[in-house]
Every structure is written in C-alpha cells, then in structure tokens.
Amino acid sequence: FKHLKITLDYRDYWNDGWDAIPENKREYEFTKQKEVLNAVDLVLAPNSEMCGHFETQFKKSTYLLPHCIDEEFLNITTKINNNSKIDISFLYGGSLYNGMEKYILQLVELLKEIENSDRKVSFKIRTMQPGYADQFEKSGIKVEVKPLVPVNEFIHLALDSDILLLFRPDWSPNGFSSKFFEAISLRKPIVYIGPKGEVDQFIKSKKLGFSLNDHTVKEMAKLIIDNKTSGSIPDKTFSLTEYSFEYQTKKLLERWNVYYKNEN
C-alpha cells in the first residue's frame, strides 16, 4: 500500500509520559513509538511544543490542531452580577496538579490583599484534586471545595462569578485545553497563575485577563477591584469562531487535501 497516507493524532500532553513508565520498560516503549512514527506521514498535535518535538526528533511533517469548543459555546451570553461592588467572587474548575504550592500561595496572598482593601471575597473550587484546600484554610481563606460538576452546572456557577482562575503547572506552560476555550467563551476576566508561556501570552495579548507574571500581588488586587467597576477586561469583541470544532475541522480537511495531493 505504498500510496496509502497515514495521519497520527496526539491529543493529550506528553511531557511527563516517559517518567510514568518504569525504566526497564522505556526502551521497549520508545522502540514502539519510533516504529509507529516512522510509518506515518503527518503528525497532528495540540500545541507548538509537541509539533516542534516531532519535527526535530523524528523529522516528521506536523500540523497544529488545537483543542476546540462546541459551537453552542459561541452563543453564551454573560449576565451582569447583582452582587455588591464590594464583593468579588472567584471560581476555579479543573485539575490542581502536584507541585503547584508556590502558585497556590500566590493566590492566597492575592485574596488576602483584596480583603485588606475592604472587599469581601468568596472562592469556589470544583476539582477531583482537593488536596490544596487545607492550604487555603490554614491561611484563613474560606473556600468551598467540591467535586467536578457537569458542564451546564459549571457554566451557571461561572456566570454568577466575577473572576475565573486559570492555573498551569510548570511542566505545561503551553497547554491549551478545551476547558481553556470554554472558560474564555464565558466572557469573564481570567486571572492566570502559572509559568510564562503561550497560554500566559495569549490571555494578555487578547486582553482576556490578568497575569501574576506581570504584576505584584498588590497591583493585581487593584486591577481586579477597578475592573469590577469598569468591566474593561475581558475584551468582549474577541471572536472565538476559529476555536470551534466546525472551523478547525474545515481547516484540517483543506490541509489534508493539499498535503496529500502534493505528496502523491
């Protein structure tokens, strides 16, 4: 089948993959991976870091296929909170990986600084990794920690919140997930806490939120408080169309048609 063209799609982040495999099995797994990659013509991956890895390590042609959102998320209307302007509510939904203590402490300091400005803070977490809850409570921060909820329920929680928190671990500064684009579609200010990288830069360049990489805790608290009144962040004109499944599927089909036609 010498004319058969094969595309391989990597979806999940792979950076910690080898560390999770016992050393005596790594050579066997690497041999299998190499055999598969040698057999394919095009590799799809959800971030530029992965594309670069396959291009340099395996000399493969790659295509960046990002995570996407369902079209229904394009039509979400954000409602105005009825909360008092002195109350600021935070929400986080998703994973809280090991080794993120320094970022949790940054958030604790931020919430304390807001409360020191005579604002009342409420904070909700929906996660399957509740291990950091004690760290908040020890610092005197009241937080409601519950398991993850269905998407529709989380949307309602988000629309009733002022701020959506976004964490990234140090090993994944460029990890755009479907949850990331779903959060943006809710048109709420994002507060990013994590390493510098493509996710951090995206939020800042598109005026979708604030990053603790650019501000002190005190500066960030003031930005959040001021934005509660002004509503200037996020930029509500930002278009999410190109991050929908429909848009990216059409682009991929066009890429396939051109790539494999030229290869033949």
Side-chain angles (χ1 to χ4, degrees):
F1 303 101
K2 62 182 181 179
H3 298 299
L4 179 65
K5 301 297 179 183
I6 302 174
T7 299
L8 176 65
D9 184 33
Y10 275 83
R11 282 295 86 195
D12 289 328
Y13 200 78
W14 50 270
N15 195 47
D16 60 341
W18 296 113
D19 292 337
I21 299 172
E23 194 168 347
N24 62 340
K25 292 185 178 181
R26 288 184 195 178
E27 185 176 351
Y28 171 70
E29 293 292 338
F30 186 77
T31 300
K32 287 203 299 183
Q33 182 194 47
K34 190 174 181 180
E35 183 179 351
V36 170
L37 284 163
N38 285 339
V40 304
D41 303 281
L42 179 66
V43 177
L44 312 182
N47 65 58
S48 59
E49 210 173 3
M50 293 174 71
C51 287
H53 171 77
F54 295 120
E55 289 167 0
T56 57
Q57 297 295 317
F58 296 95
K59 311 304 178 187
K60 295 277 90 175
S61 296
T62 65
Y63 177 82
L64 179 61
L65 180 64
H67 291 292
C68 304
I69 54 175
D70 292 315
E71 280 63 35
E72 64 195 74
F73 279 90
L74 301 178
N75 302 316
I76 291 176
T77 301
T78 298
K79 60 184 179 182
I80 299 173
N81 288 334
N82 294 322
N83 296 338
S84 165
K85 289 183 180 179
I86 64 169
D87 297 336
I88 301 179
S89 54
F90 290 76
L91 174 67
Y92 178 73
S95 298
L96 286 171
Y97 300 100
N98 292 330
M100 293 178 62
E101 286 79 8
K102 63 180 178 181
Y103 298 127
I104 297 297
L105 289 175
Q106 281 184 327
L107 175 59
V108 167
E109 292 305 309
L110 176 62
L111 298 179
K112 281 184 174 179
E113 185 65 35
I114 293 173
E115 289 193 332
N116 289 339
S117 301
D118 294 327
R119 265 65 177 184
K120 183 180 177 182
V121 169
S122 65
F123 182 25
K124 295 179 181 179
I125 296 177
R126 297 295 180 266
T127 184
M128 298 307 292
Q129 294 100 351
Y132 292 109
D134 290 344
Q135 206 159 338
F136 290 109
E137 292 174 2
K138 286 177 184 177
S139 302
I141 300 294
K142 292 183 179 180
V143 56
E144 178 187 281
V145 183
K146 292 184 178 181
L148 288 172
V149 293
V151 173
N152 288 341
E153 187 176 336
F154 185 79
I155 288 175
H156 288 301
L157 283 172
L159 293 179
D160 282 331
S161 301
D162 296 309
I163 301 287
L164 298 183
L165 292 166
L166 177 65
F167 291 99
R168 293 305 307 163
D170 285 331
W171 52 265
S172 179
N174 306 321
F176 291 92
S177 64
S178 292
K179 285 193 181 84
F180 172 79
F181 293 112
E182 289 171 0
I184 290 174
S185 71
L186 299 170
R187 308 293 181 178
K188 295 287 183 175
I190 305 287
V191 168
Y192 175 83
I193 306 176
K196 291 183 178 180
E198 293 178 14
V199 175
D200 180 37
Q201 186 58 37
F202 186 96
I203 291 169
K204 293 184 294 188
S205 64
K206 306 298 183 184
K207 298 181 179 178
L208 301 174
F210 310 101
S211 169
L212 266 173
N213 290 319
D214 290 345
H215 304 282
T216 65
V217 167
K218 191 166 187 175
E219 290 170 342
M220 176 71 83
K222 187 177 187 309
L223 286 170
I224 291 171
I225 292 168
D226 290 346
N227 193 68
K228 171 86 176 188
T229 301
S230 69
S232 58
I233 299 293
D235 177 4
K236 295 181 177 61
T237 65
F238 174 71
S239 175
L240 281 155
T241 302
E242 67 177 279
Y243 303 103
S244 69
F245 281 110
E246 182 179 7
Y247 182 93
Q248 290 296 338
T249 300
K250 288 179 179 178
K251 276 188 66 179
L252 176 60
L253 289 172
E254 291 170 2
R255 170 65 169 165
W256 266 333
N257 289 336
V258 173
Y259 178 79
Y260 288 131
K261 182 178 180 181
N262 291 340
E263 286 291 298
N264 288 327

